[in-house]
Amino acid sequence: MTAIGKTWIGVVAGIALLVTACGGGEPQAPSAARPTVPLTTPVPPTTAVAADAPGAPAPTVGGSTPTVGAPPNPGVPTAPPTTVQPPAPATGTIVLRTVTLSGIPVPGVPVRLSLRQPCDPSSHDIPLAETTEALRLDGVTDDQGSAVFTAPTGCYHFGMTAPAGTNPVPEGMHSLFLVTPGSTVTGKLRFNDAQPASACAESTIETDLGVDPAPAATVSDCDEQWAVVRWDSPGDNQRIIRRVSGAWTTYVLFPHVTCWTTAFTDGVPLQLRSYFHNC
């Protein structure tokens, strides 16, 4: 009896604990249903297009789109095409000088250069009748008697047109050779030095004497200190003149009565003795 009582006490205690555990705390709300989201977005169906149909996209390899033949992207700057320029001809400097034999510059002389081809300038020879003019350069010498040209390397003939009143030296064909680019070559064109006017010149005598230069004059037996002169005009106009202090003066007019002894004392040369009286 005692054992049965203990058993019922244990059952009752277990039921009480179970009721307490189930009914304790806040009442729980029923669980709400959570919405579900599909893991992938549905893809609309596509229409198959033949690869060779007009407007069909180009096939891709490895997921990339081929770029061959594709139009340039307007947003990306492109480099301008590179133009290969031909090499510039090698050039140097040629100076043409116009001077007298004593080295005095002669300005204002028209000069010219003629490039001859074919020709190797390193040979320093222009084959006769085997070249033609490939380039012509013209200029005029300055106050220093120089004309400067920038010219291609090569073989050149050069020359000038001598101005009126000058006396160029007859030297034939002139040649020069511009071999090395950047170098300077000089060609020289020469003139004879001007001769001083002779004291026996008709113009000098007429100017010093102050006579009319229109009639032609004949000057004889002139040694630049004494002379006999006459003019092609009516009357007896012959006279003997002498040079004093760099100018001509009249010594005697014809006819005259001057004795040779007097003339000799005055310095008249023996070559003029026949023009004086023996007294």
Side-chain angles (χ1 to χ4, degrees):
M1 188 71 180
T2 304
I4 295 172
K6 292 181 179 179
T7 300
W8 278 106
I9 294 171
V11 172
V12 173
I15 293 172
L17 290 174
L18 178 61
V19 172
T20 302
C22 293
E26 296 293 330
Q28 298 293 321
S31 299
R34 295 183 180 181
T36 60
V37 179
L39 298 179
T40 59
T41 302
V43 178
T46 58
T47 302
V49 179
D52 58 351
T60 61
V61 178
S64 62
T65 302
T67 58
V68 177
N73 188 342
V76 178
T78 58
T82 301
T83 302
V84 178
Q85 298 292 338
T91 60
T93 301
I94 296 177
V95 180
L96 296 185
R97 300 190 63 223
T98 49
V99 295
T100 66
L101 292 175
S102 63
I104 300 174
V106 180
V109 179
V111 294
R112 60 187 177 274
L113 278 170
S114 175
L115 175 63
R116 312 302 297 184
Q117 290 181 347
C119 181
D120 179 8
S122 63
S123 68
H124 286 77
D125 177 62
I126 301 177
L128 185 63
E130 296 181 13
T131 64
T132 58
E133 183 178 89
L135 177 66
R136 169 73 177 259
L137 299 172
D138 294 90
V140 178
T141 56
D142 58 18
D143 292 342
Q144 302 303 314
S146 296
V148 181
F149 301 89
T150 298
T153 55
C155 309
Y156 289 86
H157 286 318
F158 65 96
M160 67 176 172
T161 301
T166 60
N167 186 13
V169 176
E171 296 179 309
M173 184 69 70
H174 295 78
S175 301
L176 59 78
F177 304 90
L178 185 58
V179 180
T180 306
S183 62
T184 299
V185 178
T186 300
K188 187 177 293 185
L189 297 158
R190 302 188 301 171
F191 293 80
N192 290 303
D193 286 280
Q195 298 297 321
S198 172
C200 297
E202 176 185 349
S203 59
T204 302
I205 292 173
E206 290 175 338
T207 299
D208 289 349
L209 296 178
V211 299
D212 183 5
T218 299
V219 180
S220 60
D221 296 312
C222 182
D223 64 0
E224 297 196 357
Q225 292 300 317
W226 293 85
V228 179
V229 59
R230 60 181 178 84
W231 285 267
D232 187 12
S233 61
D236 190 354
N237 54 39
Q238 182 171 264
R239 68 180 73 181
I240 293 177
I241 58 177
R242 65 176 174 178
R243 194 167 176 84
V244 178
S245 300
W248 290 104
T249 62
T250 299
Y251 179 65
V252 293
L253 293 169
F254 288 86
H256 67 83
V257 294
T258 305
C259 296
W260 169 245
T261 55
T262 301
F264 183 75
T265 301
D266 291 338
V268 177
L270 289 174
Q271 67 198 45
L272 300 181
R273 182 172 181 173
S274 61
Y275 292 98
F276 294 91
H277 297 279
N278 292 321
C279 55

